[in-house]
Amino acid sequence: FEDFYKILVPCVARYSKMKAAEGYNIEFIYDESVYVNADEVKITQVIYNLINNAITYTGDDRSVKITQSVSNGRVRISVADTGCGISKESIKYIWDRYYKEDKAHKRAGVGTGLGLSIVKGVVELHGGLYGVESCEGHGATFWFELAL
């Protein structure tokens, strides 16, 4: 069993240099410390993939909001960006290996197209849930849930 807060805080802290150097506003909000039965390395990989994705696609304000919430015996981690969002046609494909939606506002960077596929696989291995809420022109919020 891992204290989820102790997994999340170091992940978010790694982005502090980027926050200062490149003007990103990376906010982390949580309501309580909780314990989950999870592989720390694999869940850390999920968190990094979601944060990196949000940084890549966030809007000109360079804002990323990470939220931990607890409800009905589950913890949900949500990572929201303020970018151009995901088209309804693309949402069904984003969890597939190597799928990359062509985005005009994507920041320069190197990616393999595996990040969300890895998120899907790891969360499923943990018996968790995952998803995305997005509307074109209004950013995207990716989330995953694990049982407490």
Side-chain angles (χ1 to χ4, degrees):
F1 288 91
E2 294 291 337
D3 182 340
F4 216 47
Y5 180 76
K6 290 181 181 175
I7 294 173
L8 283 164
V9 169
C11 289
V12 175
R14 291 194 67 170
Y15 292 95
S16 63
K17 286 184 181 178
M18 177 181 287
K19 181 178 178 179
E22 299 179 32
Y24 284 90
N25 178 24
I26 301 171
E27 183 179 11
F28 175 43
I29 301 166
Y30 76 102
D31 50 6
E32 61 185 283
S33 186
V34 296
Y35 288 85
V36 294
N37 186 9
D39 180 304
E40 181 177 355
V41 172
K42 291 190 181 311
I43 291 301
T44 298
Q45 187 177 22
V46 166
I47 295 164
Y48 282 139
N49 279 327
L50 293 179
I51 294 173
N52 285 335
N53 194 58
I55 287 170
T56 299
Y57 291 105
T58 199
D60 291 336
D61 66 357
R62 296 185 174 216
S63 291
V64 174
K65 184 176 178 181
I66 305 150
T67 307
Q68 174 198 287
S69 57
V70 177
S71 179
N72 299 321
R74 301 185 75 76
V75 60
R76 176 181 279 210
I77 302 301
S78 300
V79 181
D81 67 59
T82 59
C84 58
I86 304 165
S87 70
K88 287 183 182 181
E89 298 79 30
S90 294
I91 283 184
K92 59 186 166 194
Y93 301 112
I94 61 172
W95 304 102
D96 295 345
R97 282 180 172 223
Y98 307 117
Y99 180 81
K100 288 177 143 185
E101 186 175 32
D102 185 27
K103 299 269 192 159
H105 293 92
K106 182 177 186 252
R107 301 208 189 286
V110 176
T112 61
L114 289 173
L116 293 178
S117 176
I118 291 168
V119 168
K120 174 185 173 184
V122 170
V123 173
E124 286 178 348
L125 282 172
H126 284 81
L129 304 170
Y130 60 92
V132 62
E133 297 155 8
S134 183
C135 180
E136 272 189 284
H138 295 93
T141 301
F142 285 87
W143 58 268
F144 73 97
E145 291 183 355
L146 298 174
L148 297 178

